[in-house]
Amino acid sequence: MDGIGNSASRENPLPGLVSVNRKEEKWRVSASHVVYHFGTSGTSVAAATSITHPLDVLKVRLQMQLVGQRGPLTGMGGLFVQLVKSEGPRSLYLGLTPAFMRSVLYGGLRLGLYEPSKYVCGMAFESSNVLVKIASGAFSGAIATALTNPVEVLKVRLQMNPNSRRGVLGEARKIASEEGIIGLWKGVGPAMARAAALTASQLATYDESKRVLIRWTPLEEGFYLHLSSSTVAGLVSTLITAPVDMIKTRLMLQRESKTVGTYKNGFHCAYQVVRTEGLRGLYKGGFAMFARLSPQTMITFILCEKLREVAGLKAL
């Protein structure tokens, strides 16, 4: 018995220390790992944005219909035809430059911070259940939005102003001179709430859908699993975030619309919309949002998983 005990001691004299060292070793990452981590995320979101941007323009225009009024709304198809006829096909790509900038920065941070956040939460709570995934997604989404809100404001302003010839820098200077630097952070509260809800619902649903599908269906890690999981994630995230997204858009465009300029904060905006436009007003542009967010989610996750595989990173 002593011989066996001594042998075990020689093999692992301090098992607790070895466990800690293993955790530390797992936590250490190289600079190239960080670049790959954020690069794969930003690239996948930018690629998805290049395809779905016209739907984002339509969503913003739909959200600004009949502000403070009730009445029949133009549908997505009707608005598309109207927009192309009156402003030309190029109008569908208004705000594309800040949209790309936001995709790389926001997308890289949002997806890039999710895995480290999930790892830290897992270590802290010694669990990897769905609540940990939701908390990790909410944290990474909120932080990414707080840092990139100015680019989102520029994107939305340009999407609503087809006659602007100032470009991104000119629009930024205009906002800073007329509304102060703080104008670039208009709507940051609802934007952070929307991003937290979007990222939490999108990433947690995607993560959990993959786990459930792998356990209960013949699907294995690969294209069809990623496609199925991202479709579910796109639907769930749209239903949860559509009202907050509409409020965020209204706040960001207060100076761009004569009928919008009395919202004090996100809660006041929601109250005013429900009071003057009805509960349905909170879901203006909801179908366009789903039409955009569903393929955006699918393209982002499928491409991100493939890029992570190429870069030698493990699947999300």
Side-chain angles (χ1 to χ4, degrees):
M1 289 292 292
D2 287 341
I4 295 172
N6 290 337
S7 173
S9 297
R10 282 193 298 271
E11 288 175 8
N12 189 6
L14 293 170
L17 182 59
V18 171
S19 177
V20 171
N21 286 340
R22 280 176 184 161
K23 284 182 180 179
E24 288 177 354
E25 187 177 327
K26 186 178 179 181
W27 180 246
R28 290 193 193 104
V29 291
S30 64
S32 61
H33 185 275
V34 173
V35 171
Y36 290 151
H37 201 65
F38 286 87
T40 54
S41 303
T43 302
S44 59
V45 176
T49 297
S50 67
I51 296 170
T52 63
H53 185 75
L55 292 167
D56 191 48
V57 174
L58 291 173
K59 179 206 73 173
V60 171
R61 295 294 183 97
L62 288 167
Q63 288 173 334
M64 294 302 293
Q65 281 191 101
L66 297 177
V67 175
Q69 306 171 52
R70 297 173 190 257
L73 300 173
T74 304
M76 188 173 74
L79 182 65
F80 171 79
V81 173
Q82 181 183 319
L83 202 61
V84 172
K85 277 185 177 179
S86 60
E87 299 177 26
R90 289 183 64 183
S91 63
L92 295 171
Y93 288 90
L94 289 169
L96 184 61
T97 301
F100 270 132
M101 291 167 62
R102 178 183 177 275
S103 296
V104 174
L105 298 172
Y106 170 74
L109 287 167
R110 186 170 72 97
L111 294 180
L113 288 172
Y114 175 66
E115 193 178 349
S117 300
K118 189 171 68 170
Y119 178 74
V120 171
C121 287
M123 285 184 65
F125 300 106
E126 297 183 349
S127 172
S128 60
N129 62 31
V130 69
L131 293 178
V132 167
K133 294 170 185 175
I134 290 172
S136 303
F139 171 78
S140 59
I143 293 298
T145 295
L147 294 173
T148 60
N149 196 74
V151 191
E152 174 74 1
V153 171
L154 292 170
K155 175 179 77 79
V156 172
R157 295 283 180 101
L158 290 171
Q159 285 176 335
M160 282 298 296
N161 193 354
N163 299 317
S164 175
R165 296 291 180 267
R166 284 183 293 270
V168 179
L169 293 178
E171 189 68 28
R173 282 194 293 267
K174 177 178 178 285
I175 294 172
S177 63
E178 294 180 2
E179 305 169 44
I181 293 295
I182 198 169
L184 292 168
W185 270 270
K186 272 191 174 177
V188 69
M192 288 178 69
R194 180 251 184 198
L198 173 64
T199 311
S201 58
Q202 199 177 52
L203 290 174
T205 304
Y206 178 77
D207 215 343
E208 198 64 15
S209 297
K210 278 180 66 176
R211 187 187 67 79
V212 171
L213 288 170
I214 288 172
R215 183 175 180 180
W216 297 105
T217 71
L219 290 174
E220 297 179 351
E221 192 69 50
F223 176 79
Y224 292 108
L225 176 64
H226 301 158
L227 179 64
S228 303
S229 303
S230 57
T231 302
V232 175
L235 177 60
V236 171
S237 55
T238 300
L239 291 172
I240 291 173
T241 62
V244 189
D245 187 81
M246 199 280 300
I247 292 166
K248 175 210 73 170
T249 300
R250 291 284 180 90
L251 288 171
M252 288 180 174
L253 285 167
Q254 284 200 99
R255 288 294 292 271
E256 293 297 307
S257 173
K258 293 177 182 177
T259 54
V260 183
T262 57
Y263 300 145
K264 298 172 184 175
N265 51 49
F267 294 108
H268 183 245
C269 178
Y271 168 74
Q272 288 286 81
V273 169
V274 173
R275 187 178 69 82
T276 60
E277 303 170 43
L279 194 61
R280 184 185 171 196
L282 291 173
Y283 280 88
K284 282 182 178 178
F287 182 73
M289 184 178 175
F290 174 71
R292 170 189 168 271
L293 196 54
S294 186
Q296 173 93 10
T297 304
M298 286 189 279
I299 295 166
T300 297
F301 282 122
I302 290 170
L303 183 57
C304 188
E305 294 277 25
K306 185 57 65 177
L307 289 173
R308 289 174 72 88
E309 183 185 326
V310 171
L313 303 174
K314 70 182 184 70
L316 281 170

PDB file of all heavy atoms in Angstrom, residues 6 9 15 40 49 63 75 86 107 118-119 180 184 201 223 230-231 236 245 247 253-254 267 272 276 284 297 302-303:
ATOM      1  N   ASN A   6       3.240   5.966  -2.430  1.00  0.00           N
ATOM      2  CA  ASN A   6       4.428   6.756  -2.799  1.00  0.00           C
ATOM      3  C   ASN A   6       4.512   6.968  -4.293  1.00  0.00           C
ATOM      4  O   ASN A   6       4.894   8.022  -4.770  1.00  0.00           O
ATOM      5  CB  ASN A   6       5.696   6.047  -2.299  1.00  0.00           C
ATOM      6  CG  ASN A   6       5.795   6.097  -0.781  1.00  0.00           C
ATOM      7  OD1 ASN A   6       5.194   6.972  -0.155  1.00  0.00           O
ATOM      8  ND2 ASN A   6       6.533   5.149  -0.203  1.00  0.00           N
ATOM      9  N   SER A   9       2.151   9.598  -5.210  1.00  0.00           N
ATOM     10  CA  SER A   9       2.654  10.902  -4.782  1.00  0.00           C
ATOM     11  C   SER A   9       3.716  11.416  -5.724  1.00  0.00           C
ATOM     12  O   SER A   9       3.786  12.598  -6.012  1.00  0.00           O
ATOM     13  CB  SER A   9       3.228  10.809  -3.352  1.00  0.00           C
ATOM     14  OG  SER A   9       2.201  10.467  -2.450  1.00  0.00           O
ATOM     15  N   PRO A  15      -1.773  17.512  -6.448  1.00  0.00           N
ATOM     16  CA  PRO A  15      -2.834  17.451  -7.448  1.00  0.00           C
ATOM     17  C   PRO A  15      -3.591  18.757  -7.608  1.00  0.00           C
ATOM     18  O   PRO A  15      -3.990  19.131  -8.687  1.00  0.00           O
ATOM     19  CB  PRO A  15      -3.764  16.342  -6.930  1.00  0.00           C
ATOM     20  CG  PRO A  15      -3.424  16.172  -5.478  1.00  0.00           C
ATOM     21  CD  PRO A  15      -1.987  16.533  -5.354  1.00  0.00           C
ATOM     22  N   THR A  40     -11.933  36.421 -37.191  1.00  0.00           N
ATOM     23  CA  THR A  40     -12.951  35.525 -37.754  1.00  0.00           C
ATOM     24  C   THR A  40     -14.352  36.060 -37.473  1.00  0.00           C
ATOM     25  O   THR A  40     -15.241  35.995 -38.338  1.00  0.00           O
ATOM     26  CB  THR A  40     -12.825  34.110 -37.168  1.00  0.00           C
ATOM     27  OG1 THR A  40     -12.851  34.180 -35.728  1.00  0.00           O
ATOM     28  CG2 THR A  40     -11.538  33.441 -37.609  1.00  0.00           C
ATOM     29  N   THR A  49     -23.214  41.407 -43.564  1.00  0.00           N
ATOM     30  CA  THR A  49     -23.734  42.772 -43.730  1.00  0.00           C
ATOM     31  C   THR A  49     -23.756  43.182 -45.192  1.00  0.00           C
ATOM     32  O   THR A  49     -24.700  43.846 -45.647  1.00  0.00           O
ATOM     33  CB  THR A  49     -22.885  43.767 -42.924  1.00  0.00           C
ATOM     34  OG1 THR A  49     -23.000  43.452 -41.533  1.00  0.00           O
ATOM     35  CG2 THR A  49     -23.335  45.202 -43.143  1.00  0.00           C
ATOM     36  N   GLN A  63     -39.435  51.673 -39.726  1.00  0.00           N
ATOM     37  CA  GLN A  63     -39.554  52.068 -38.323  1.00  0.00           C
ATOM     38  C   GLN A  63     -39.904  53.545 -38.168  1.00  0.00           C
ATOM     39  O   GLN A  63     -40.438  53.949 -37.132  1.00  0.00           O
ATOM     40  CB  GLN A  63     -38.239  51.771 -37.589  1.00  0.00           C
ATOM     41  CG  GLN A  63     -37.997  50.289 -37.366  1.00  0.00           C
ATOM     42  CD  GLN A  63     -36.624  49.990 -36.784  1.00  0.00           C
ATOM     43  OE1 GLN A  63     -35.680  50.762 -36.965  1.00  0.00           O
ATOM     44  NE2 GLN A  63     -36.509  48.885 -36.091  1.00  0.00           N
ATOM     45  N   GLY A  75     -46.006  48.249 -46.620  1.00  0.00           N
ATOM     46  CA  GLY A  75     -45.272  47.009 -46.362  1.00  0.00           C
ATOM     47  C   GLY A  75     -43.863  47.058 -46.914  1.00  0.00           C
ATOM     48  O   GLY A  75     -43.484  48.004 -47.616  1.00  0.00           O
ATOM     49  N   SER A  86     -38.117  56.280 -56.464  1.00  0.00           N
ATOM     50  CA  SER A  86     -37.915  57.695 -56.128  1.00  0.00           C
ATOM     51  C   SER A  86     -36.457  58.062 -55.855  1.00  0.00           C
ATOM     52  O   SER A  86     -36.036  59.183 -56.118  1.00  0.00           O
ATOM     53  CB  SER A  86     -38.761  58.064 -54.902  1.00  0.00           C
ATOM     54  OG  SER A  86     -38.390  57.275 -53.784  1.00  0.00           O
ATOM     55  N   GLY A 107     -19.041  43.467 -34.596  1.00  0.00           N
ATOM     56  CA  GLY A 107     -19.095  42.016 -34.790  1.00  0.00           C
ATOM     57  C   GLY A 107     -17.916  41.306 -34.160  1.00  0.00           C
ATOM     58  O   GLY A 107     -18.064  40.266 -33.513  1.00  0.00           O
ATOM     59  N   LYS A 118     -17.898  33.456 -21.573  1.00  0.00           N
ATOM     60  CA  LYS A 118     -18.492  32.174 -21.192  1.00  0.00           C
ATOM     61  C   LYS A 118     -17.499  31.347 -20.368  1.00  0.00           C
ATOM     62  O   LYS A 118     -17.881  30.689 -19.390  1.00  0.00           O
ATOM     63  CB  LYS A 118     -18.904  31.412 -22.459  1.00  0.00           C
ATOM     64  CG  LYS A 118     -19.724  30.162 -22.197  1.00  0.00           C
ATOM     65  CD  LYS A 118     -20.287  29.579 -23.492  1.00  0.00           C
ATOM     66  CE  LYS A 118     -19.198  29.012 -24.368  1.00  0.00           C
ATOM     67  NZ  LYS A 118     -19.749  28.231 -25.506  1.00  0.00           N
ATOM     68  N   TYR A 119     -16.227  31.429 -20.726  1.00  0.00           N
ATOM     69  CA  TYR A 119     -15.195  30.675 -20.000  1.00  0.00           C
ATOM     70  C   TYR A 119     -15.037  31.209 -18.577  1.00  0.00           C
ATOM     71  O   TYR A 119     -14.981  30.444 -17.614  1.00  0.00           O
ATOM     72  CB  TYR A 119     -13.871  30.773 -20.756  1.00  0.00           C
ATOM     73  CG  TYR A 119     -12.724  30.061 -20.075  1.00  0.00           C
ATOM     74  CD1 TYR A 119     -12.648  28.681 -20.093  1.00  0.00           C
ATOM     75  CD2 TYR A 119     -11.736  30.780 -19.413  1.00  0.00           C
ATOM     76  CE1 TYR A 119     -11.601  28.021 -19.462  1.00  0.00           C
ATOM     77  CE2 TYR A 119     -10.698  30.138 -18.781  1.00  0.00           C
ATOM     78  CZ  TYR A 119     -10.628  28.753 -18.805  1.00  0.00           C
ATOM     79  OH  TYR A 119      -9.608  28.109 -18.175  1.00  0.00           O
ATOM     80  N   GLY A 180     -23.033  68.295 -30.218  1.00  0.00           N
ATOM     81  CA  GLY A 180     -21.958  67.949 -29.292  1.00  0.00           C
ATOM     82  C   GLY A 180     -21.512  66.505 -29.496  1.00  0.00           C
ATOM     83  O   GLY A 180     -22.209  65.712 -30.124  1.00  0.00           O
ATOM     84  N   LEU A 184     -23.158  61.633 -30.659  1.00  0.00           N
ATOM     85  CA  LEU A 184     -22.751  60.365 -31.271  1.00  0.00           C
ATOM     86  C   LEU A 184     -23.110  59.164 -30.401  1.00  0.00           C
ATOM     87  O   LEU A 184     -23.003  58.023 -30.840  1.00  0.00           O
ATOM     88  CB  LEU A 184     -21.243  60.377 -31.550  1.00  0.00           C
ATOM     89  CG  LEU A 184     -20.781  61.356 -32.632  1.00  0.00           C
ATOM     90  CD1 LEU A 184     -19.273  61.503 -32.621  1.00  0.00           C
ATOM     91  CD2 LEU A 184     -21.253  60.883 -34.014  1.00  0.00           C
ATOM     92  N   SER A 201     -29.771  36.323 -26.707  1.00  0.00           N
ATOM     93  CA  SER A 201     -30.736  35.409 -27.327  1.00  0.00           C
ATOM     94  C   SER A 201     -30.122  34.690 -28.529  1.00  0.00           C
ATOM     95  O   SER A 201     -30.315  33.488 -28.717  1.00  0.00           O
ATOM     96  CB  SER A 201     -31.994  36.179 -27.754  1.00  0.00           C
ATOM     97  OG  SER A 201     -31.678  37.214 -28.660  1.00  0.00           O
ATOM     98  N   PHE A 223     -22.126  21.826 -41.549  1.00  0.00           N
ATOM     99  CA  PHE A 223     -22.976  22.837 -42.183  1.00  0.00           C
ATOM    100  C   PHE A 223     -24.441  22.745 -41.774  1.00  0.00           C
ATOM    101  O   PHE A 223     -25.062  23.747 -41.430  1.00  0.00           O
ATOM    102  CB  PHE A 223     -22.856  22.713 -43.711  1.00  0.00           C
ATOM    103  CG  PHE A 223     -23.772  23.640 -44.466  1.00  0.00           C
ATOM    104  CD1 PHE A 223     -23.456  24.987 -44.626  1.00  0.00           C
ATOM    105  CD2 PHE A 223     -24.976  23.169 -44.999  1.00  0.00           C
ATOM    106  CE1 PHE A 223     -24.303  25.841 -45.315  1.00  0.00           C
ATOM    107  CE2 PHE A 223     -25.834  24.022 -45.687  1.00  0.00           C
ATOM    108  CZ  PHE A 223     -25.497  25.352 -45.842  1.00  0.00           C
ATOM    109  N   SER A 230     -28.640  28.282 -36.455  1.00  0.00           N
ATOM    110  CA  SER A 230     -28.671  29.718 -36.732  1.00  0.00           C
ATOM    111  C   SER A 230     -30.068  30.179 -37.154  1.00  0.00           C
ATOM    112  O   SER A 230     -30.456  31.319 -36.897  1.00  0.00           O
ATOM    113  CB  SER A 230     -27.636  30.090 -37.798  1.00  0.00           C
ATOM    114  OG  SER A 230     -27.850  29.358 -38.993  1.00  0.00           O
ATOM    115  N   THR A 231     -30.848  29.310 -37.801  1.00  0.00           N
ATOM    116  CA  THR A 231     -32.227  29.658 -38.165  1.00  0.00           C
ATOM    117  C   THR A 231     -33.069  29.866 -36.915  1.00  0.00           C
ATOM    118  O   THR A 231     -33.825  30.844 -36.808  1.00  0.00           O
ATOM    119  CB  THR A 231     -32.855  28.548 -39.033  1.00  0.00           C
ATOM    120  OG1 THR A 231     -32.060  28.357 -40.204  1.00  0.00           O
ATOM    121  CG2 THR A 231     -34.267  28.914 -39.444  1.00  0.00           C
ATOM    122  N   VAL A 236     -35.704  33.611 -32.821  1.00  0.00           N
ATOM    123  CA  VAL A 236     -35.840  33.966 -31.402  1.00  0.00           C
ATOM    124  C   VAL A 236     -35.338  35.384 -31.141  1.00  0.00           C
ATOM    125  O   VAL A 236     -35.994  36.179 -30.465  1.00  0.00           O
ATOM    126  CB  VAL A 236     -35.075  32.957 -30.512  1.00  0.00           C
ATOM    127  CG1 VAL A 236     -35.029  33.426 -29.058  1.00  0.00           C
ATOM    128  CG2 VAL A 236     -35.735  31.585 -30.581  1.00  0.00           C
ATOM    129  N   ASP A 245     -35.128  47.605 -30.796  1.00  0.00           N
ATOM    130  CA  ASP A 245     -34.449  48.099 -31.989  1.00  0.00           C
ATOM    131  C   ASP A 245     -35.176  49.314 -32.556  1.00  0.00           C
ATOM    132  O   ASP A 245     -34.557  50.291 -32.979  1.00  0.00           O
ATOM    133  CB  ASP A 245     -34.386  46.992 -33.045  1.00  0.00           C
ATOM    134  CG  ASP A 245     -33.538  47.370 -34.246  1.00  0.00           C
ATOM    135  OD1 ASP A 245     -32.309  47.255 -34.147  1.00  0.00           O
ATOM    136  OD2 ASP A 245     -34.096  47.805 -35.269  1.00  0.00           O
ATOM    137  N   ILE A 247     -37.076  51.453 -30.864  1.00  0.00           N
ATOM    138  CA  ILE A 247     -36.851  52.570 -29.927  1.00  0.00           C
ATOM    139  C   ILE A 247     -35.468  53.173 -30.143  1.00  0.00           C
ATOM    140  O   ILE A 247     -35.296  54.392 -30.173  1.00  0.00           O
ATOM    141  CB  ILE A 247     -37.018  52.077 -28.471  1.00  0.00           C
ATOM    142  CG1 ILE A 247     -38.488  51.727 -28.215  1.00  0.00           C
ATOM    143  CG2 ILE A 247     -36.533  53.127 -27.477  1.00  0.00           C
ATOM    144  CD1 ILE A 247     -38.710  50.936 -26.948  1.00  0.00           C
ATOM    145  N   LEU A 253     -32.488  59.121 -34.365  1.00  0.00           N
ATOM    146  CA  LEU A 253     -32.907  59.992 -35.465  1.00  0.00           C
ATOM    147  C   LEU A 253     -33.700  61.208 -35.000  1.00  0.00           C
ATOM    148  O   LEU A 253     -34.351  61.864 -35.808  1.00  0.00           O
ATOM    149  CB  LEU A 253     -33.763  59.187 -36.455  1.00  0.00           C
ATOM    150  CG  LEU A 253     -32.977  58.227 -37.354  1.00  0.00           C
ATOM    151  CD1 LEU A 253     -33.905  57.258 -38.062  1.00  0.00           C
ATOM    152  CD2 LEU A 253     -32.155  58.990 -38.387  1.00  0.00           C
ATOM    153  N   GLN A 254     -33.644  61.540 -33.733  1.00  0.00           N
ATOM    154  CA  GLN A 254     -34.464  62.636 -33.221  1.00  0.00           C
ATOM    155  C   GLN A 254     -34.235  63.951 -33.957  1.00  0.00           C
ATOM    156  O   GLN A 254     -35.175  64.679 -34.241  1.00  0.00           O
ATOM    157  CB  GLN A 254     -34.223  62.834 -31.720  1.00  0.00           C
ATOM    158  CG  GLN A 254     -34.896  61.777 -30.887  1.00  0.00           C
ATOM    159  CD  GLN A 254     -35.081  62.205 -29.449  1.00  0.00           C
ATOM    160  OE1 GLN A 254     -36.143  62.640 -29.067  1.00  0.00           O
ATOM    161  NE2 GLN A 254     -34.040  62.091 -28.661  1.00  0.00           N
ATOM    162  N   PHE A 267     -37.498  54.626 -22.198  1.00  0.00           N
ATOM    163  CA  PHE A 267     -38.805  54.299 -21.605  1.00  0.00           C
ATOM    164  C   PHE A 267     -39.871  55.294 -22.067  1.00  0.00           C
ATOM    165  O   PHE A 267     -41.007  54.918 -22.360  1.00  0.00           O
ATOM    166  CB  PHE A 267     -38.705  54.299 -20.077  1.00  0.00           C
ATOM    167  CG  PHE A 267     -37.834  53.208 -19.537  1.00  0.00           C
ATOM    168  CD1 PHE A 267     -36.585  53.495 -18.986  1.00  0.00           C
ATOM    169  CD2 PHE A 267     -38.247  51.884 -19.582  1.00  0.00           C
ATOM    170  CE1 PHE A 267     -35.777  52.486 -18.497  1.00  0.00           C
ATOM    171  CE2 PHE A 267     -37.446  50.865 -19.093  1.00  0.00           C
ATOM    172  CZ  PHE A 267     -36.202  51.161 -18.546  1.00  0.00           C
ATOM    173  N   GLN A 272     -44.516  56.749 -25.474  1.00  0.00           N
ATOM    174  CA  GLN A 272     -45.079  57.632 -26.497  1.00  0.00           C
ATOM    175  C   GLN A 272     -45.519  56.843 -27.739  1.00  0.00           C
ATOM    176  O   GLN A 272     -46.559  57.137 -28.338  1.00  0.00           O
ATOM    177  CB  GLN A 272     -44.050  58.693 -26.903  1.00  0.00           C
ATOM    178  CG  GLN A 272     -43.805  59.757 -25.855  1.00  0.00           C
ATOM    179  CD  GLN A 272     -44.964  60.738 -25.762  1.00  0.00           C
ATOM    180  OE1 GLN A 272     -45.971  60.463 -25.126  1.00  0.00           O
ATOM    181  NE2 GLN A 272     -44.831  61.878 -26.425  1.00  0.00           N
ATOM    182  N   THR A 276     -49.388  56.823 -28.898  1.00  0.00           N
ATOM    183  CA  THR A 276     -49.794  57.498 -30.135  1.00  0.00           C
ATOM    184  C   THR A 276     -49.920  56.576 -31.346  1.00  0.00           C
ATOM    185  O   THR A 276     -50.631  56.894 -32.296  1.00  0.00           O
ATOM    186  CB  THR A 276     -48.791  58.620 -30.487  1.00  0.00           C
ATOM    187  OG1 THR A 276     -47.481  58.044 -30.663  1.00  0.00           O
ATOM    188  CG2 THR A 276     -48.737  59.672 -29.394  1.00  0.00           C
ATOM    189  N   LYS A 284     -42.993  48.002 -35.737  1.00  0.00           N
ATOM    190  CA  LYS A 284     -42.808  48.542 -37.088  1.00  0.00           C
ATOM    191  C   LYS A 284     -41.448  48.085 -37.613  1.00  0.00           C
ATOM    192  O   LYS A 284     -40.436  48.192 -36.917  1.00  0.00           O
ATOM    193  CB  LYS A 284     -42.866  50.072 -37.071  1.00  0.00           C
ATOM    194  CG  LYS A 284     -44.277  50.634 -36.990  1.00  0.00           C
ATOM    195  CD  LYS A 284     -44.281  52.151 -37.030  1.00  0.00           C
ATOM    196  CE  LYS A 284     -45.703  52.692 -36.999  1.00  0.00           C
ATOM    197  NZ  LYS A 284     -45.742  54.169 -36.997  1.00  0.00           N
ATOM    198  N   THR A 297     -27.892  36.085 -39.390  1.00  0.00           N
ATOM    199  CA  THR A 297     -27.469  35.121 -38.365  1.00  0.00           C
ATOM    200  C   THR A 297     -26.898  33.868 -39.001  1.00  0.00           C
ATOM    201  O   THR A 297     -25.839  33.366 -38.590  1.00  0.00           O
ATOM    202  CB  THR A 297     -28.659  34.756 -37.456  1.00  0.00           C
ATOM    203  OG1 THR A 297     -29.202  35.945 -36.887  1.00  0.00           O
ATOM    204  CG2 THR A 297     -28.220  33.832 -36.328  1.00  0.00           C
ATOM    205  N   ILE A 302     -22.418  30.410 -39.870  1.00  0.00           N
ATOM    206  CA  ILE A 302     -21.852  29.386 -40.762  1.00  0.00           C
ATOM    207  C   ILE A 302     -20.448  29.784 -41.199  1.00  0.00           C
ATOM    208  O   ILE A 302     -19.516  28.972 -41.161  1.00  0.00           O
ATOM    209  CB  ILE A 302     -22.769  29.171 -41.990  1.00  0.00           C
ATOM    210  CG1 ILE A 302     -24.071  28.485 -41.554  1.00  0.00           C
ATOM    211  CG2 ILE A 302     -22.059  28.340 -43.049  1.00  0.00           C
ATOM    212  CD1 ILE A 302     -25.134  28.441 -42.626  1.00  0.00           C
ATOM    213  N   LEU A 303     -20.283  31.061 -41.604  1.00  0.00           N
ATOM    214  CA  LEU A 303     -18.968  31.533 -42.037  1.00  0.00           C
ATOM    215  C   LEU A 303     -17.986  31.600 -40.872  1.00  0.00           C
ATOM    216  O   LEU A 303     -16.810  31.230 -41.014  1.00  0.00           O
ATOM    217  CB  LEU A 303     -19.109  32.906 -42.699  1.00  0.00           C
ATOM    218  CG  LEU A 303     -17.832  33.522 -43.285  1.00  0.00           C
ATOM    219  CD1 LEU A 303     -17.199  32.583 -44.309  1.00  0.00           C
ATOM    220  CD2 LEU A 303     -18.143  34.868 -43.934  1.00  0.00           C
TER     221      LEU A 303
END
